[in-house]
Amino acid sequence: MLKFNKPMKNKDDIQKEIEELSPFLKKMKKEKEGFEVPANYFRQLPDLIMDRIQEEEAQSDSSAPTTNWLDQIIERIQILLQPQYAMALASTAILIVASLFLFQQDPSLAGESTLAEVSDEEINAYVMSKAEEFELDLLIDVIDEKALEEEIENEPSYDENYLDNIIDDLSDKELEELM
Amino acid sequence: METPLTNISDDHILGLLNQSNTFEKGFRVLMQKYQEKLYWHIRRMVMDHEDANDVIQNCFIKVYKSIHRFERKSKLYTWLYRIATNEAITHLNKQKKKATASIDDEESGISHRLEADTYFDGDEAQLQLQRALDTLPDKQKLVFNLRYFDEMSYKEMAEVLDTSVGALKASYHHAVKKIEQYIRAL
């Protein structure tokens, strides 16, 4: 075991000190303390340590970013400011802002697009199946006003001749029953 | 003829470490010069070889990473001892936490550990001395080791342990008395 190249005075002082404090421990002091190391341990230790340092450096090189976080953010912003990306980015931003503006003005529009996708037949079938559950006013609202107007227009006019013709077509018996 | 490593001055080593093209060479020389002294200092603290091997490696890796911060306010070897001491104490604290969590206290006992260590072949007197040292608080054990085994001056010890010379003298005297009493009582 190596000792420091101590000035003799210091070494003598230490020996003298332990002699005075405890002659018993002075006698116990031996060159060999009982501890051993594997063969060639100290010959190989520097290489072992250098290998570990190189491993750690390689790991930190591969995991660490090449630039700091601020540089990385600036780099990404610069990419987005290139014309081809800037145009796409600006269009997307305009669309998002316009959509938000429209939906905020008329919230019902948000649901209308979904309703438009349902066919008339499907709506009619649904209304007919649920007719009993709907209130009259709601059903009236559902009827297409234009179609109703057309139907009325095509109806035969209830003039006197028309009634006369119907009456003419009825038998005497049928006429009695109706009256 | 090659200069023995122990004769290479710290100034020369620090000069090599100061330049990037000679840094690795300088670090290797530093390791070769101080590895044995630091290893034995650590070994006396942690006892078994495997632990000492881990601690010395961690210690030199710390030195490698922080040597550029060494400002020559103290001697190089006292700075190295300080790092080695910190690493050894950190290791011992971790070991104590593990031992507290462990149900089997026998396994963490000094006798058991030295008997299990392939690289301890001390006689009965040396085993008794190690048992006695194990009864001391870590700091007092450290003071005893630096003075009794490493033959360090109180001034150097004060630099390593950041403690006054007077306190160190008192601590060493107490440690010597306690060890003697312990061994005589066996």
Side-chain angles (χ1 to χ4, degrees):
Chain A
M1 207 171 296
L2 290 180
K3 299 275 184 248
F4 285 110
N5 294 328
K6 300 279 172 201
M8 279 310 285
K9 192 179 175 300
N10 182 48
K11 197 166 179 166
D12 289 346
D13 286 349
I14 292 168
Q15 296 303 320
K16 205 175 157 190
E17 182 187 42
I18 191 73
E19 179 81 62
E20 285 170 7
L21 279 172
S22 169
F24 176 75
L25 277 184
K26 170 83 171 59
K27 275 186 194 166
M28 274 191 83
K29 196 175 177 185
K30 297 174 184 173
E31 275 301 306
K32 197 171 164 281
E33 290 170 47
F35 293 122
E36 300 288 339
V37 289
N40 295 321
Y41 177 68
F42 290 115
R43 193 184 292 266
Q44 293 161 354
L45 186 60
D47 288 334
L48 266 172
I49 292 166
M50 287 313 294
D51 287 348
R52 265 193 65 185
I53 289 169
Q54 278 161 8
E55 265 174 42
E56 281 189 18
E57 282 182 341
Q59 276 178 358
S60 63
D61 282 352
S62 60
S63 60
T66 49
T67 52
N68 66 39
W69 62 272
L70 188 64
D71 290 341
Q72 281 191 321
I73 291 171
I74 292 168
E75 203 173 287
R76 283 178 192 180
I77 290 171
Q78 281 173 340
I79 290 169
L80 288 174
L81 289 176
Q82 286 174 5
Q84 67 270 31
Y85 295 114
M87 283 295 287
L89 196 66
S91 308
T92 311
I94 289 167
L95 279 171
I96 291 167
V97 170
S99 311
L100 287 172
F101 182 73
L102 275 173
F103 286 132
Q104 271 183 347
Q105 284 220 323
D106 186 358
S108 65
L109 283 174
E112 203 168 65
S113 61
T114 325
L115 195 60
E117 286 166 18
V118 183
S119 69
D120 289 343
E121 287 83 1
E122 282 173 305
I123 293 170
N124 285 335
Y126 177 75
V127 170
M128 291 311 290
S129 68
K130 299 280 179 183
E132 285 178 7
E133 294 169 28
F134 292 141
E135 289 188 17
L136 187 60
D137 289 343
L138 188 63
L139 282 172
I140 289 167
D141 284 343
V142 168
I143 295 167
D144 188 338
E145 286 176 23
K146 260 193 173 178
L148 189 63
E149 279 169 18
E150 279 173 17
E151 208 173 312
I152 291 166
E153 277 171 16
N154 295 333
E155 282 277 336
S157 55
Y158 293 92
D159 59 10
E160 286 179 10
N161 292 334
Y162 175 72
L163 285 172
D164 287 344
N165 291 337
I166 291 173
I167 291 166
D168 286 346
D169 289 343
L170 292 172
S171 64
D172 291 341
K173 198 185 171 185
E174 287 168 331
L175 199 61
E176 273 177 22
E177 285 173 358
L178 282 170
M179 293 299 172
Chain B
M1 207 172 116
E2 223 172 288
T3 318
L5 283 168
T6 44
N7 290 346
I8 293 176
S9 73
D10 288 349
D11 278 345
H12 181 69
I13 294 173
L14 290 168
L16 292 171
L17 289 166
N18 231 358
Q19 291 174 0
S20 56
N21 60 331
T22 54
F23 182 87
E24 191 178 326
K25 188 187 172 191
F27 189 68
R28 280 183 178 276
V29 175
L30 179 144
M31 284 195 287
Q32 284 158 354
K33 182 175 178 182
Y34 288 109
Q35 61 177 353
E36 286 197 51
K37 290 156 197 159
L38 295 179
Y39 172 85
W40 292 116
H41 170 61
I42 291 165
R43 179 77 181 267
R44 287 184 201 110
M45 292 292 292
V46 302
M47 297 291 178
D48 73 76
H49 168 70
E50 293 306 325
D51 289 351
N53 182 39
D54 285 345
V55 176
I56 188 79
Q57 289 190 29
N58 292 340
C59 166
F60 274 120
I61 290 169
K62 283 245 166 87
V63 171
Y64 182 91
K65 287 176 180 170
S66 53
I67 189 74
H68 63 278
R69 290 205 293 267
F70 176 66
E71 292 171 340
R72 297 194 187 209
K73 284 178 184 169
S74 60
K75 286 179 185 167
L76 179 62
Y77 87 91
T78 55
W79 184 73
L80 294 173
Y81 257 79
R82 211 176 157 123
I83 294 173
T85 304
N86 284 340
E87 284 298 308
I89 288 171
T90 305
H91 178 87
L92 287 173
N93 288 339
K94 281 182 193 167
Q95 220 171 36
K96 276 177 195 163
K97 275 185 191 169
K98 272 188 199 169
T100 310
S102 165
I103 301 164
D104 191 359
D105 287 341
E106 191 62 35
E107 268 187 32
S108 58
I110 182 71
S111 300
H112 187 277
R113 277 165 57 208
L114 286 176
E115 279 163 21
D117 189 354
T118 324
Y119 302 107
F120 181 77
D121 69 344
D123 56 23
E124 188 53 32
Q126 286 161 331
L127 196 58
Q128 283 177 357
L129 180 60
Q130 291 307 323
R131 282 195 197 116
L133 278 167
D134 200 48
T135 63
L136 302 179
D138 285 344
K139 185 88 183 271
Q140 204 169 39
K141 183 178 167 184
L142 197 52
V143 170
F144 180 85
N145 286 343
L146 289 174
R147 186 75 178 166
Y148 185 80
F149 294 113
D150 287 329
E151 297 178 342
M152 212 181 249
S153 73
Y154 283 117
K155 194 172 171 257
E156 290 162 343
M157 286 165 70
E159 278 181 26
V160 173
L161 301 173
D162 208 12
T163 312
S164 71
V165 169
L168 289 168
K169 277 184 184 174
S171 181
Y172 180 65
H173 287 209
H174 273 107
V176 169
K177 294 294 172 194
K178 276 192 206 171
I179 290 168
E180 188 180 331
Q181 279 170 11
Y182 181 91
I183 295 173
R184 283 187 187 279
L186 285 173

